[in-house]
């Protein structure tokens, strides 16, 4: 019984939409059936989007893995690799493809070519069947020459397009949906460009993709229709693409033909979003990574992702309970305890903890950057954004030069350019450091008294009756808390029949400040520095600071509650 391994490959995504795989499968299947071979279990080997001209699939693709199995002796000698045509294997120079096939056939594996109706074995490649060998060489050489010709043509066309784009000429009719073409130039659409601006403002304000889509669908006519449905609506993926698109900053990214590098052309499109707003929107997006959820846009939970159980270390959940009068009360409880796998099944009042936490650390969490006015800092922020982009572009050019050296170009010619690019990167990084220092100074100009006043205004806005004001304030505070709070641990201990004492330990980043609350939102103890505990090595709360909410510390608290004594730390 001969085991047959059919192999199929195509080079580009465009071919994926066509019938390339189906055509190859039909050819290899027909050859397998005509020779009464047995198809290998697991289906055919396929490399999608891998170029035969580069030959990377011979090393790292499915074909490369197949070769590794042959070398390891896991493919039975006498088996056959079935391909549609020789160019499915390689369009590199003849010696590379021939060497690969020789190594395979020497291991006892045949290579069958459906288009030639030939089976190559070790004998046919060693001179015993000279006609098969000559036909193989002619076919491989023709395919290689054709690939080189096409690659050279594509490269020249691509270089021509890039040069035109650098001159500001329109090289393709396709453009971002918020631009219109006129007289060979791109211009912002008066109807759509403001919507892109609004999307970035919402992102900078703390809204996530879903919340932005909800606002867009309630306000603006959709630009596109879904490919799965014919319904026109704003989609999360489309909003995400807009918030990541370099086109809003005027950049056009084009992949060089036959290469992995991206050519970045600045100024090809008109900028539709200011640099400082782009920086703010994307920074806010990064800060929201741990704040997802259905009600994330409303900022209902200011401590999302920070609360853990002091018993099992699992996540604490925020739940809602209704009393007989229909009033809502929000509680925090261990998720594992709700499932019966943790003993810490006591509920903590969320509203009391939030009020106490905001009172204790809000002034530590909000700094001047949360109140920065764009008109005061926008020139510096724009400068920083431009410098970062300059460094990115210079680094890409530097990487391209290094790649040229690795590809065998004259290193002496390229070395000078590499040194120039490195100097440019170094100068830009030095300018960036100065600009960032200047920005810090600009953001620190508020007096302590004014800063406290602003913090108090935010504290009041959290509970505002106006939904927009309250949600905006809560999103700001939630983001600030994510930056300064390291952990919040909840622990309880039984002190009587259906009576429990509760302890909440909140630790700020670096452990330089810790505060403990009871279940009613009262502060049990505060510590400002680790050094304070040096003289109290046996203190239960000293152990809490170092190891979290320890069992013995909670027992100390519980015992003191039982004796109705004030907690001494």
């Amino acid at each position: 019984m001969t085991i047959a391994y059919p192999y199929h490959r195509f080079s580009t995504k465009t071919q994926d939409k066509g019938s390339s795989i189906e055509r190859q499968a039909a050819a290899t299947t027909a050859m397998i059936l005509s020779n009464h071979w047995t198809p290998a279990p697991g289906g055919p080997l396929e490399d999608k989007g891998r170029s035969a001209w580069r030959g990377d699939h011979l090393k790292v693709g499915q074909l490369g893995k197949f070769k590794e199995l042959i070398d390891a002796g896991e493919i039975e000698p006498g088996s056959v690799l079935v391909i549609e045509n020789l160019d499915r294997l390689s369009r590199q120079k003849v010696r590379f493809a021939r060497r690969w096939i020789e190594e395979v056939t020497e291991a006892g594996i045949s290579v069958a070519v459906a288009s030639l109706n030939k089976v190559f074995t070790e004998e046919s490649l060693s001179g015993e069947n000279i006609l098969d060998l000559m036909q193989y060489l002619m076919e491989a050489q023709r395919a290689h020459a054709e690939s080189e010709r096409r690659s050279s043509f594509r490269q020249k066309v691509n270089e021509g397009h890039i040069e035109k784009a650098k001159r500001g000429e329109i090289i393709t009719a396709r453009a971002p949906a918020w631009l219109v073409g006129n007289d060979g130039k791109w211009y912002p659409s008066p109807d759509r460009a403001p919507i892109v601006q609004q999307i970035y403002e919402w992102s900078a304000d703390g809204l996530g993709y879903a919340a932005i889509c909800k606002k867009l669908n309630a306000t603006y006519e959709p630009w596109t229709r879904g490919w799965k449905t014919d319904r026109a609506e704003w989609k999360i993926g489309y909003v995400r693409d807009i918030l990541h698109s370099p086109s809003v900053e005027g950049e056009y990214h084009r992949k060089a033909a036959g290469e992995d590098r991206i050519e970045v052309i600045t100024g090809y499109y008109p900028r539709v979003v200011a640099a400082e707003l782009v920086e703010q929107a994307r920074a806010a997006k990064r800060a929201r990574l741990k704040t997802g959820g259905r009600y994330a846009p409303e900022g209902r939970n200011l401590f999302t992702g920070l609360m853990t159980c002091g018993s099992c270390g699992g996540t604490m959940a925020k739940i809602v309970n209704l009393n007989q009068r229909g009033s809502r009360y929000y509680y925090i409880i261990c998720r594992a305890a709700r499932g019966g796998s943790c003993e810490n099944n006591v509920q903590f009042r969320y509203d009391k903890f939030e009020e106490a936490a905001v009172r204790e650390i809000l002034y530590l969490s909000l700094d001047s950057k949360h109140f920065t006015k764009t008109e005061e800092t926008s020139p510096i922020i724009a400068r920083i954004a431009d410098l970062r982009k300059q460094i990115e572009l210079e680094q890409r050019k530097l990487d391209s030069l290094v790649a040229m050296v690795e590809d065998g170009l004259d290193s002496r010619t390229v070395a000078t350019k590499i040194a120039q690019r490195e100097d440019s990167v170094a100068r830009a990084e030095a300018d960036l450091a100065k600009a960032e220092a200047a920005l810090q100074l600009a953001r620190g100009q508020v007096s302590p008294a004014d800063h406290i006043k602003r913090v108090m205004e935010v504290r009041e806005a959290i509970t505002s009756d106006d939904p927009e004001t309250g949600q905006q304030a809560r999103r700001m505070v939630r983001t600030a808390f994510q930056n300064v709070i390291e952990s919040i641990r909840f622990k309880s201990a039984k002190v009587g029949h259906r009576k429990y004492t509760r302890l909440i330990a909140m630790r700020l980043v670096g452990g330089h400040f810790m505060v403990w609350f009871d279940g009613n939102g009262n502060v049990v103890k505060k510590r400002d520095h680790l050094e304070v505990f040096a003289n109290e090595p046996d203190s239960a709360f000293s152990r809490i600071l170092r190891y979290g909410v320890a069992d013995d510390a909670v027992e100390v608290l519980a015992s003191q509650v039982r004796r109705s004594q004030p907690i001494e730390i």
Side-chain angles (χ1 to χ4, degrees):
M1 180 178 65
T2 301
I3 304 298
Y5 294 84
Y7 173 72
H8 311 136
R9 181 197 58 77
F10 60 80
S11 304
T12 65
K13 293 180 179 180
T14 303
Q15 290 174 298
D16 191 15
K17 300 177 181 178
S19 58
S20 177
I21 288 292
E22 288 78 4
R23 186 195 69 247
Q24 295 177 53
T28 56
T29 300
M31 190 169 192
I32 291 173
L33 292 175
S34 65
N35 287 278
H36 305 288
W37 295 330
T38 302
L45 308 172
E46 293 184 348
D47 279 323
K48 298 181 179 181
R50 290 192 179 275
S51 172
W53 189 73
R54 286 173 173 244
D56 58 343
H57 63 302
L58 295 178
K59 299 178 180 178
V60 298
Q62 289 297 318
L63 208 56
K65 294 178 181 178
F66 181 72
K67 179 62 164 54
E68 290 178 357
L69 293 176
I70 293 176
D71 295 339
E74 297 184 22
I75 301 297
E76 183 180 351
S79 300
V80 57
L81 176 68
V82 187
I83 59 176
E84 178 205 23
N85 204 357
L86 283 168
D87 61 4
R88 294 303 103 189
L89 286 183
S90 179
R91 290 181 181 173
Q92 291 182 303
K93 292 183 179 180
V94 172
R95 66 177 183 273
F96 296 117
R98 179 182 177 182
R99 186 182 303 132
W100 192 91
I101 295 178
E102 286 177 345
E103 292 176 357
V104 170
T105 55
E106 287 172 0
I109 310 300
S110 302
V111 178
V113 183
S115 64
L116 303 177
N117 195 27
K118 298 288 184 181
V119 178
F120 291 92
T121 63
E122 184 178 9
E123 291 76 16
S124 66
L125 292 178
S126 63
E128 294 184 10
N129 193 334
I130 190 65
L131 293 179
D132 279 354
L133 179 61
M134 289 179 62
Q135 193 169 16
Y136 155 69
L137 292 173
M138 292 173 62
E139 178 68 17
Q141 186 63 56
R142 181 203 63 78
H144 174 68
E146 178 65 15
S147 292
E148 283 191 322
R149 186 188 69 80
R150 292 181 181 179
S151 176
S152 177
F153 177 75
R154 286 196 303 268
Q155 186 173 359
K156 289 181 180 179
V157 171
N158 191 67
E159 290 175 352
H161 284 173
I162 289 175
E163 290 303 317
K164 288 183 178 180
K166 288 180 178 179
R167 295 195 298 267
E169 300 178 23
I170 293 180
I171 61 175
T172 175
R174 298 184 62 182
W178 55 87
L179 300 178
V180 293
N182 188 18
D183 294 332
K185 297 288 184 180
W186 294 115
Y187 298 93
S189 166
D191 298 326
R192 294 184 172 184
I195 299 178
V196 176
Q197 171 88 10
Q198 180 66 79
I199 290 173
Y200 273 80
E201 290 177 357
W202 280 332
S203 178
D205 193 36
L207 296 181
Y209 300 136
I212 292 176
C213 281
K214 184 176 181 181
K215 283 182 169 289
L216 288 171
N217 284 315
T219 311
Y220 300 107
E221 189 72 22
W223 298 348
T224 60
R225 294 181 179 272
W227 65 275
K228 289 185 177 180
T229 64
D230 196 40
R231 185 172 62 255
E233 62 179 333
W234 291 94
K235 295 285 190 178
I236 289 178
Y238 192 51
V239 170
R240 180 180 61 244
D241 291 344
I242 291 176
L243 287 171
H244 285 85
S245 175
S247 304
V248 301
E249 300 179 85
E251 294 182 1
Y252 175 55
H253 290 195
R254 185 181 180 90
K255 186 174 182 179
E259 300 183 20
D260 293 330
R261 66 183 178 90
I262 300 294
E263 186 76 23
V264 178
I265 303 168
T266 58
Y268 177 73
Y269 298 121
R271 177 184 281 273
V272 296
V273 182
E276 62 270 22
L277 182 55
V278 172
E279 182 77 10
Q280 292 169 359
R282 293 175 182 172
K285 179 174 63 64
R286 291 190 297 270
R288 291 194 298 271
L289 291 178
K290 296 192 297 181
T291 60
R294 179 181 177 184
Y295 301 107
E298 301 176 17
R300 292 190 181 183
N301 186 354
L302 299 183
F303 313 99
T304 301
L306 300 171
M307 303 183 297
T308 58
C309 175
S311 294
C312 69
T315 303
M316 301 293 289
K318 183 183 176 185
I319 62 173
V320 59
N321 288 342
L322 298 176
N323 62 14
Q324 295 179 349
R325 296 185 297 274
S327 299
R328 291 175 174 265
Y329 291 92
Y330 292 94
Y331 292 88
I332 305 168
I333 189 171
C334 175
R335 289 184 183 274
R338 297 186 74 185
S341 59
C342 178
E343 61 181 10
N344 187 20
N345 59 356
V346 174
Q347 298 182 0
F348 296 76
R349 281 283 295 270
Y350 175 83
D351 55 342
K352 292 184 177 181
F353 170 64
E354 178 187 286
E355 181 181 359
V358 168
R359 181 180 63 247
E360 291 298 324
I361 70 164
L362 185 60
Y363 75 99
L364 295 174
S365 306
L366 295 177
D367 55 28
S368 296
K369 70 175 179 288
H370 295 98
F371 305 94
T372 301
K373 295 181 179 179
T374 304
E375 64 271 16
E376 295 176 359
T377 60
S378 58
I380 302 177
I381 296 177
R383 173 66 172 160
I384 290 175
D386 290 340
L387 285 170
R388 287 177 177 171
K389 186 62 63 177
Q390 179 183 342
I391 292 172
E392 179 184 349
L393 296 178
E394 291 290 345
Q395 189 61 53
R396 287 181 180 175
K397 293 177 180 178
L398 182 59
D399 293 341
S400 297
L401 290 172
V402 173
M404 291 180 184
V405 175
E406 293 176 348
D407 290 340
L409 295 183
D410 186 357
S411 59
R412 293 173 298 178
T413 303
V414 181
T416 302
K417 294 184 179 180
I418 291 179
Q420 292 173 350
R421 293 298 179 193
E422 289 177 340
D423 290 342
S424 298
V425 171
R427 288 195 300 270
E429 288 177 343
D431 291 341
L432 176 61
K434 293 179 182 178
E436 289 177 338
L439 180 60
Q440 293 300 320
L441 291 175
R443 285 175 168 171
Q445 294 175 351
V446 178
S447 68
D450 289 337
H451 177 66
I452 292 298
K453 181 180 178 181
R454 294 186 304 191
V455 172
M456 296 303 295
E457 290 173 352
V458 172
R459 179 176 169 181
E460 294 179 2
I462 289 175
T463 56
S464 173
D465 294 331
D466 178 52
E468 187 68 25
T469 300
Q471 291 175 17
Q472 184 175 0
R474 294 185 70 84
R475 289 194 299 268
M476 176 194 295
V477 174
R478 181 187 61 194
T479 301
F481 280 176
Q482 295 289 329
N483 293 330
V484 300
I485 298 177
E486 182 175 291
S487 64
I488 306 173
R489 303 194 69 188
F490 296 76
K491 190 66 185 289
S492 62
K494 193 171 185 179
V495 295
H497 179 61
R498 301 183 66 179
K499 292 183 179 180
Y500 296 85
T501 182
R502 297 164 174 81
L503 185 65
I504 306 171
M506 182 165 59
R507 178 188 179 104
L508 301 195
V509 173
H512 298 298
F513 181 85
M514 283 197 71
V515 56
W516 294 267
F517 307 91
D518 63 18
N520 294 316
N522 300 314
V523 176
V524 176
K525 186 64 178 179
K526 286 191 290 188
R527 292 292 191 185
D528 292 334
H529 298 284
L530 289 170
E531 292 80 10
V532 174
F533 292 87
N535 297 324
E536 303 177 28
D538 296 328
S539 168
F541 285 95
S542 177
R543 292 190 291 277
I544 290 177
L545 180 60
R546 293 184 176 87
Y547 307 114
V549 184
D551 291 337
D552 56 350
V554 177
E555 287 301 327
V556 170
L557 178 62
S559 64
Q560 293 177 349
V561 171
R562 294 188 192 99
R563 296 194 302 268
S564 299
Q565 295 179 359
I567 298 174
E568 297 180 0
I569 304 173

